[in-house]
Amino acid sequence: MTRRAPLPPAARAIVKGDLRALARTISAVENGDPSADPILRAIYPRTGKVPVIGLTGPLGVGKSSLVSALVGHLRGLGRAVGVVAVDPSSPFSGGSVLGDRIRLERAPGDTGVFFRSMASRGSVGGVAAATRETARLLDAAGFDVILIETVGSGQVDLAIREVASTRVVVLVPHLGDEVQTLKAGLFEIADVFCVNKSDLPGAGSAERDLAELVSLGGGRDGWSPPIVATSTVTPSGIDRLWAAIESHQRFLDSSGGRLSGERLRLKQEIVGRVRDEVAAELAERLDKDPGLRDLLDRVVARTLDPRSAADRLLAASRRGR
Amino acid sequence: MPAKRRSAPIRVLIAKPGLDGHDRGAKVVARALRDAGMEVIYAGLRQTPEEIVRAAIEEDVDLVGLSILSGAHMALFPKVLRLLKKEHPNGIKVFAGGIIPDEDARRLKRMGVRAIFGPGASLEEIVRTAEKLARPSS
């Protein structure tokens, strides 16, 4: 275990529950602002003890409402909850409308909930890294459970895969037949399936279809994903959903999966950071380094192919800088 | 390893304090700000001043945009301003839109609302003002 050095002031403020310091540091993380570096470094040894739960699924299945219901349930159990809700940025303007807060209901003055909306900002590794570091900041700030909500598609979905230790895939009745579920690619990441809007007709057959799919070989490492029906209208099933999540968390502890999963995610994190840094550096050198600019010119002129150019760029980077 | 600093998009909270349910204007403005490259946190209807200020702090926004059509602006806006100042002395700026009589608009501006847009204000004007409020130097 890392020895605990004295915390820098901003990190101390976060650990003491200063929500403004927490919010600002999350922004620094999102912006790639180096002022976040010493804070993240200082808090790291204190983190990793609380469950990070991801909820993902197609648009409109009720993820935000479920998150709000789970927050209510957890507050009833006396647990403090940090939420990160990720939505895509527009590929055209870079802007976004982040609307997941609309569903959030909390008692006036309740400081046991912290909700942060996050835009994907268009970089594949970026959103996963920002989500992971934000989860760590929430952990250090004393929240007992971290919930991460993302749309289940493409790059945004990576945030869940690379951050959460229990992944809940949320579906609804009439999304399509079971082949759609196979296609979506969501199936493989589910530790828990949630059939939401179970007050609607067709919920029973959606559950049966899923159960059949799971019986064909869902889950990993001896865990078979449970299927929980929920409704945030009636409301019902929220307690069962949380029980299913907790049972997966207990399974992670008893099977040794927590450590191996964490090891894999941390490896991805380290390699991902290096990849992003090196890629950015090489892209810049390709533009500015007189010895390398020629490479791109020749590829443009079709006197050199992209693979050979990449090999030479890599070789140049290995020779040092 | 120092990460490269990326340019930070402007973050705006759009909220409707009070009890009227007419959020079309707020949504149109949210969309225009998004199209100008901003990150818009849409907090939705029937927000109390406390909820709005709490959201502004958690989301670490540069600006708060309040939309109101119910006539309760003189009861609700000063409370938002007061709480924001108390919780966030470094200043999150507030702008507003809706049905606000000129006399009230003058008073609200004296209290610290930076800009007020009535019916007929152009989206370009709102976007330009938001950009100027959030990044006064650029």
Side-chain angles (χ1 to χ4, degrees), chain A residues 28-229:
Chain A
V29 163
E30 284 192 282
N31 297 335
D33 184 332
S35 70
D37 293 358
I39 302 169
L40 291 166
R41 207 173 297 137
I43 60 152
Y44 184 74
R46 299 168 182 254
T47 61
K49 300 280 192 298
V50 306
V52 180
I53 313 299
L55 285 94
T56 189
L59 284 171
V61 296
K63 292 180 295 295
S64 301
S65 300
L66 262 182
V67 164
S68 177
L70 275 175
V71 166
H73 181 69
L74 289 163
R75 291 305 292 138
L77 300 174
R79 320 269 298 264
V81 192
V83 182
V84 186
V86 185
D87 275 327
S89 298
S90 159
F92 303 105
S93 70
S96 53
V97 173
L98 309 168
D100 298 312
R101 271 198 102 87
I102 295 180
R103 312 282 173 218
L104 180 69
E105 285 169 30
R106 58 181 164 188
D110 183 2
T111 51
V113 183
F114 186 97
F115 191 105
R116 179 69 176 229
S117 313
M118 194 174 275
S120 63
R121 298 195 183 173
S123 125
V124 179
V127 65
T131 311
R132 179 167 27 223
E133 291 178 336
T134 299
R136 239 167 241 160
L137 290 166
L138 290 166
D139 182 346
F143 292 94
D144 305 311
V145 178
I146 320 284
L147 301 177
I148 296 171
E149 173 200 340
T150 74
V151 166
S153 69
Q155 61 175 40
V156 181
D157 176 40
L158 268 176
I160 291 283
R161 256 188 286 176
E162 293 191 4
V163 182
S165 58
T166 296
R167 280 88 48 113
V168 180
V169 170
V170 186
L171 300 166
V172 288
H174 298 296
L175 262 187
D177 61 19
E178 68 268 31
V179 180
Q180 298 298 329
T181 324
L182 283 174
K183 269 200 285 196
L186 281 173
F187 192 75
E188 309 93 287
I189 69 164
D191 300 307
V192 174
F193 283 107
C194 173
V195 178
N196 195 30
K197 307 195 187 183
S198 64
D199 50 302
L200 296 179
S205 69
E207 271 184 77
R208 279 193 300 279
D209 286 351
L210 266 177
E212 200 173 317
L213 271 174
V214 171
S215 73
L216 289 175
R220 291 172 305 273
D221 312 323
W223 172 259
S224 176
I227 300 158
V228 185

Side-chain angles (χ1 to χ4, degrees), chain B residues 4-124:
Chain B
K4 289 242 158 49
R5 183 193 281 263
R6 294 178 283 272
S7 68
I10 295 168
R11 282 171 73 86
V12 190
L13 178 76
I14 297 287
K16 278 191 63 69
L19 295 178
D20 80 86
H22 304 281
D23 57 356
R24 188 178 159 81
K27 284 177 175 160
V28 169
V29 169
R31 195 176 155 163
L33 297 176
R34 178 201 73 186
D35 291 343
M38 299 181 205
E39 291 183 357
V40 183
I41 293 95
Y42 188 73
L45 297 172
R46 291 183 276 279
Q47 298 285 303
T48 64
E50 289 83 2
E51 285 169 329
I52 290 169
V53 170
R54 186 69 196 278
I57 288 166
E58 290 180 355
E59 301 288 358
D60 192 28
V61 294
D62 304 287
L63 304 172
V64 174
L66 302 173
S67 163
I68 195 162
L69 297 162
S70 68
H73 46 269
M74 293 313 284
L76 296 166
F77 287 9
K79 199 164 179 199
V80 172
L81 290 167
R82 200 167 57 241
L83 285 170
L84 259 185
K85 208 169 197 170
K86 184 169 147 238
E87 302 287 333
H88 207 290
N90 292 352
I92 295 173
K93 291 166 186 160
V94 176
F95 67 102
I99 308 293
I100 297 170
D102 291 346
E103 174 56 26
D104 291 351
R106 276 191 290 275
R107 286 172 60 198
L108 288 170
K109 280 190 177 167
R110 276 200 298 273
M111 290 180 205
V113 177
R114 297 305 184 97
I116 296 176
F117 303 98
S122 77
L123 290 172
E124 289 78 15

